[in-house]
């Protein structure tokens, strides 16, 4: 089947940010004392970086920090802006990962899983090596769900039932970081329809407070949140009838067996390994 076009919401934000930065740079260059504009410059750059990470998340990627140096990030963003197909971008990015890299992701993830879950990540990696990408992705998606739920349950031992894993993830983020590092609220309960959840995520990260102590967690939290936003996005089952699949791997399509077996690729599995890696690393800091 054919992948749908990516949602242009975050790309439009990024393109508008490009225009605004160009205009502001001209203003800053004309002013003699840049120190007077340091807060505006910092805020503008941080917002632009957030839009960049949102675009990466829109195609399902949240790269570990140790892998970013191997990838030409600017080229990927240029490809997104130039409407290069997501399949082409995915193939290029997945080629940057060796099997040893994926093994390293798997080993790190396993260290942070309870004994009952360790066999699942081993099996997901074995299936990945055998090119059984559909089966591997189903296991990885289930682990992303369970890690989110279990982390939520740690601090909410007798909670009301939370039916969506996006809500579990969002509640964990709000409970641990909201108020302290953000003035806004994470959109855990917002609908994905009409980009309400996506715009809510943008607003949340715009409300971030400057705190150097939060920088390391922030480097993980922002790209992971945008990748999960895409992963947990609503599904349109009519797309199946029209021979279309989501633009990036989707949890609901996996859970409800809507994908054809060959729809899931090596790149899709690597995306899920990266999401799970970033998630367990973030949770290990809480």
């Amino acid at each position: 089947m054919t992948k749908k076009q990516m949602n242009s919401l975050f790309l439009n934000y990024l393109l508008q940010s490009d225009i605004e930065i160009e205009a502001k740079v001209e203003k800053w260059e004309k002013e003699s004392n840049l120190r007077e504009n340091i807060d505006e410059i910092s805020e503008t750059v941080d917002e632009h970086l957030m839009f960049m990470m949102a675009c990466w998340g829109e195609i399902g990627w949240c790269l570990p920090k140790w892998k970013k140096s191997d990838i030409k990030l600017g080229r990927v963003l240029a490809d997104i802006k130039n409407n290069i197909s997501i399949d082409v971008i995915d193939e290029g990015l997945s080629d940057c990962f060796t099997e040893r890299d994926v093994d390293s992701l798997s080993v790190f993830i396993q260290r942070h899983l309870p004994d009952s879950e360790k066999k699942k990540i081993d099996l997901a990696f074995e299936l990945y090596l055998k090119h059984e990408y559909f089966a591997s992705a189903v296991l990885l998606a289930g682990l992303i769900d369970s890690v989110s739920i279990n982390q939520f349950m740690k601090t909410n031992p007798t909670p009301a039932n939370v039916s969506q894993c996006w809500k579990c993830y969002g509640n964990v983020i709000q409970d641990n970081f909201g108020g302290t590092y953000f003035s806004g609220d994470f959109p855990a309960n917002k609908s994905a329809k009409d980009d309400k959840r996506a715009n809510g995520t943008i607003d949340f990260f715009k409300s971030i407070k400057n705190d150097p102590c939060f920088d390391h967690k922030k480097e993980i939290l922002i790209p992971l949140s945008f990748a999960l936003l895409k992963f947990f996005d609503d599904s349109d089952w009519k797309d199946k009838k029209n021979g279309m699949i989501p633009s990036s791997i989707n949890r609901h399509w996996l859970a409800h067996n809507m994908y054809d077996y060959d729809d899931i690729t090596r790149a899709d599995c690597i995306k899920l390994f990266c999401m799970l890696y970033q998630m367990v690393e973030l949770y290990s800091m809480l």
Side-chain angles (χ1 to χ4, degrees):
M1 291 194 285
T2 305
K3 284 184 179 178
K4 295 176 68 175
Q5 290 290 316
M6 65 178 278
N7 186 338
S8 62
L9 175 71
F10 296 143
L11 178 58
N12 290 339
Y13 274 127
L14 182 63
L15 294 175
Q16 182 60 38
S17 179
D18 286 341
I19 295 169
E20 291 175 2
I21 285 179
E22 188 174 340
K24 287 180 179 179
V25 166
E26 290 182 6
K27 184 194 77 169
W28 294 331
E29 287 177 341
K30 292 176 182 177
E31 296 176 357
S32 57
N33 190 355
L34 284 178
R35 289 185 179 179
E36 295 179 358
N37 297 301
I38 193 66
D39 289 341
E40 182 186 15
I41 293 171
S42 177
E43 183 178 328
T44 300
V45 170
D46 285 347
E47 186 173 284
H48 189 73
L49 289 173
M50 177 187 64
F51 293 144
M52 290 169 59
M53 287 184 274
C55 286
W56 277 86
E58 176 60 29
I59 59 173
W61 289 94
C62 57
L63 299 171
K65 186 176 181 179
W66 54 267
K67 195 61 189 172
K68 289 181 181 178
S69 60
D70 297 338
I71 295 171
K72 296 180 179 178
L73 305 179
R75 179 180 293 179
V76 176
L77 285 170
D79 286 346
I80 292 173
K81 290 177 181 178
N82 291 323
N83 293 318
I84 301 299
S85 89
I86 294 174
D87 283 333
V88 171
I89 296 174
D90 279 352
E91 184 176 357
L93 284 169
S94 63
D95 284 346
C96 296
F97 284 82
T98 65
E99 306 302 39
R100 179 172 291 181
D101 289 332
V102 181
D103 186 26
S104 296
L105 292 171
S106 176
V107 169
F108 181 89
I109 292 166
Q110 191 184 63
R111 288 176 187 164
H112 294 279
L113 294 178
D115 290 341
S116 60
E117 304 287 79
K118 293 182 188 296
K119 290 182 180 179
K120 295 177 185 177
I121 195 69
D122 281 342
L123 180 56
F125 183 61
E126 288 177 18
L127 290 166
Y128 162 84
L129 290 177
K130 294 176 181 177
H131 299 183
E132 298 287 349
Y133 299 130
F134 184 97
S136 178
V138 169
L139 272 171
L140 291 168
L143 283 167
I144 290 172
D145 280 353
S146 65
V147 168
S148 299
I149 295 167
N150 289 330
Q151 185 64 39
F152 175 69
M153 294 287 286
K154 282 182 182 179
T155 52
N156 296 272
T158 56
N161 190 44
V162 177
S163 60
Q164 296 179 9
C165 293
W166 170 260
K167 290 183 179 180
C168 288
Y169 173 77
N171 283 319
V172 169
I173 300 311
Q174 184 64 37
D175 290 346
N176 285 275
F177 304 129
T180 304
Y181 300 111
F182 298 90
S183 57
D185 294 326
F186 195 88
N189 297 312
K190 287 202 172 184
S191 168
K193 293 180 180 178
D194 301 320
D195 292 327
K196 292 176 184 176
R197 186 185 294 169
N199 279 310
T201 306
I202 286 286
D203 290 341
F204 176 71
F205 286 116
K206 278 185 176 180
S207 77
I208 196 168
K209 302 173 184 177
N210 287 323
D211 188 334
C213 296
F214 187 56
D215 284 350
H216 181 50
K217 294 184 183 74
K218 179 178 69 176
E219 287 182 358
I220 300 171
L221 174 63
I222 298 177
L224 173 62
S225 296
F226 283 112
L228 290 176
L229 178 73
K230 187 65 178 179
F231 180 61
F232 288 121
D233 201 7
D234 278 357
S235 310
D236 190 341
W237 305 130
K238 294 191 296 294
D239 290 334
K240 173 84 171 182
K241 183 178 179 180
N242 297 325
M244 304 290 288
I245 61 176
S247 58
S248 184
I249 190 164
N250 180 271
R251 182 261 183 200
H252 305 299
W253 275 61
L254 278 172
H256 297 290
N257 205 26
M258 294 297 285
Y259 283 113
D260 289 346
Y261 197 82
D262 293 334
D263 287 334
I264 305 301
T265 64
R266 178 175 183 265
D268 292 323
C269 286
I270 295 174
K271 289 179 184 183
L272 296 180
F273 274 113
C274 287
M275 284 184 219
L276 192 52
Y277 172 92
Q278 297 284 68
M279 181 179 282
V280 298
E281 183 175 15
L282 180 66
Y283 288 167
S284 72
M285 301 176 192
L286 302 182

